[in-house]
Amino acid sequence: MRLHPRQGAPGIEQSSVGGPLLWPTEEPWPVCRLAHEDTIIEPFAPALKGRYEANRWDWSHGRHGRVDFATRMRHASEFALELVRGANPEFDPDAPVPLIPVAQLYYRDVPDLPWPEKFDLLQILWCPRDHSGTETDTPHCPAFQVFWRKSETVKGVLTVPPQPDLGLEHYIPNPCVVSPEVVTEYPNFHTLPDDIKIDIDAWEERSSDGTDYSSEFAHAPGWKVMGHGMYWGIYDPYPMTCECGAEQLPLFTADTGEFDGGTKERWQPVEEAHTEWSFADPVEVTIGRGYALQLYYCPESEQHTGRSENGLNP
């Protein structure tokens, strides 16, 4: 199901990408305790971010003369830390990092989500920094956490959740309303039986218009839930196995844009064909060099930790 996020001002009672969450006041806000490995880091607070953007070029170049890219990134990160420490003398760079909302999905809008007999709300957050170490599936990517709820049990709502002091701008989604749409996807080409692969290759060769199975039929681009997940392009597909031994299934796809030059003709909504590229990237999240980040879930239990992997756009 494609979510079709569009920038807006969603409320806690709405499904959204990057919007506020229906979060219980009595439940601690989740934090990240994984190891971070940031090429560059930026202040999260809007006021500090404005000062950072206005001065980081002079800081990373003018104060230090001609330096290479890695050194410029380090100097810019030092400037970010200086700003944060100036605003908060008690700032601890080693403290757990509060997560930020990525998606809130009500089952009434996305009815095929797992365990509808127990839950009617899925909430997905992540840490907006790069991660490293053996405890993360996807190094140099945000780290997900997932929460399943029955919305009627939320009595008091947390209106001002904690925020991280630092983050990466391209991991901070714009607040977006969503318009979920059921679409048909097909399995990844590399997971198909050999005889079907041969038939698809022959079909593509016969097509005079450059038809491509992967980009036009198999994997819908953009932010979506369930289905066949992301297009595997960095690695060959492999089973995402839970610690319990069950194979995990695609739950949520965070993508770098809704479509690109290779998928626009097929996957841009016909209602927006006249808008050209206006809605190509409403969330403005970038994974790697334009990849997607796929979250999986274990169908055996919502208490089992979901895995993640990243891949190229088709």
Side-chain angles (χ1 to χ4, degrees), residues 25-52:
T25 53
E26 69 275 10
E27 185 172 330
W29 188 259
V31 297
C32 176
R33 302 180 186 276
L34 300 176
H36 299 105
E37 187 175 339
D38 305 298
T39 303
I40 186 172
I41 200 67
E42 301 156 333
F44 186 87
L48 295 183
K49 187 180 294 185
R51 291 173 58 192
Y52 172 82

Side-chain angles (χ1 to χ4, degrees), residues 40 48 52 56 61 71 82 89 96 114 121 129 139 153 205 214 269:
I40 186 172
L48 295 183
Y52 172 82
R56 71 171 177 172
H61 290 72
T71 304
E82 181 179 286
L121 180 60
R129 295 177 63 177
T153 66
E205 289 178 6
S214 293

Side-chain angles (χ1 to χ4, degrees), residues 69-83:
F69 176 79
T71 304
R72 291 202 308 270
M73 296 301 98
R74 188 179 77 251
H75 290 162
S77 296
E78 291 170 352
F79 178 43
L81 287 167
E82 181 179 286
L83 289 174

Side-chain angles (χ1 to χ4, degrees), residues 43-259:
F44 186 87
L48 295 183
K49 187 180 294 185
R51 291 173 58 192
Y52 172 82
E53 292 295 336
N55 295 281
R56 71 171 177 172
W57 180 266
D58 288 342
W59 177 271
S60 60
H61 290 72
R63 296 191 181 191
H64 302 280
R66 187 178 180 86
V67 293
D68 60 30
F69 176 79
T71 304
R72 291 202 308 270
M73 296 301 98
R74 188 179 77 251
H75 290 162
S77 296
E78 291 170 352
F79 178 43
L81 287 167
E82 181 179 286
L83 289 174
V84 169
R85 288 192 177 101
N88 178 15
E90 298 182 359
F91 166 68
D92 179 2
D94 297 320
V97 177
L99 305 189
I100 64 171
V102 175
Q104 172 167 272
L105 302 173
Y106 284 91
Y107 282 47
R108 62 175 182 263
D109 301 318
V110 188
D112 291 333
L113 289 170
W115 305 298
E117 71 282 0
K118 293 193 289 186
F119 307 110
D120 66 357
L121 180 60
L122 170 64
Q123 295 172 321
I124 300 172
L125 302 89
W126 70 22
C127 175
R129 295 177 63 177
D130 282 329
H131 296 79
S132 63
T134 58
E135 295 184 11
T136 180
D137 286 327
T138 48
H140 306 290
C141 283
F144 287 111
Q145 289 188 34
V146 178
F147 299 84
W148 312 82
R149 299 194 185 282
K150 198 74 172 176
S151 58
E152 65 184 17
T153 66
V154 180
K155 304 305 180 184
V157 178
L158 181 66
T159 56
V160 185
Q163 293 184 334
D165 291 293
L166 298 165
L168 291 174
E169 185 175 9
H170 57 269
Y171 292 160
I172 302 172
N174 292 322
C176 292
V177 297
V178 296
S179 300
E181 176 194 18
V182 176
V183 298
T184 300
E185 292 186 316
Y186 295 93
N188 187 288
F189 178 84
H190 298 287
T191 66
L192 296 172
D194 288 342
D195 58 336
I196 297 180
K197 291 181 185 178
I198 292 171
D199 289 342
I200 290 175
D201 284 337
W203 168 65
E204 289 178 339
E205 289 178 6
R206 290 194 305 268
S207 301
S208 59
D209 58 357
T211 296
D212 181 77
Y213 169 80
S214 293
S215 64
E216 296 184 44
F217 296 97
H219 299 275
W223 292 65
K224 60 184 182 179
V225 295
M226 313 300 285
H228 286 283
M230 69 177 183
Y231 174 81
W232 291 70
I234 300 177
Y235 317 103
D236 289 336
Y238 64 89
M240 302 298 292
T241 306
C242 183
E243 292 182 354
C244 73
E247 182 175 350
Q248 296 200 355
L249 304 175
L251 175 64
F252 179 79
T253 309
D255 206 346
T256 302
E258 289 295 286
F259 53 82

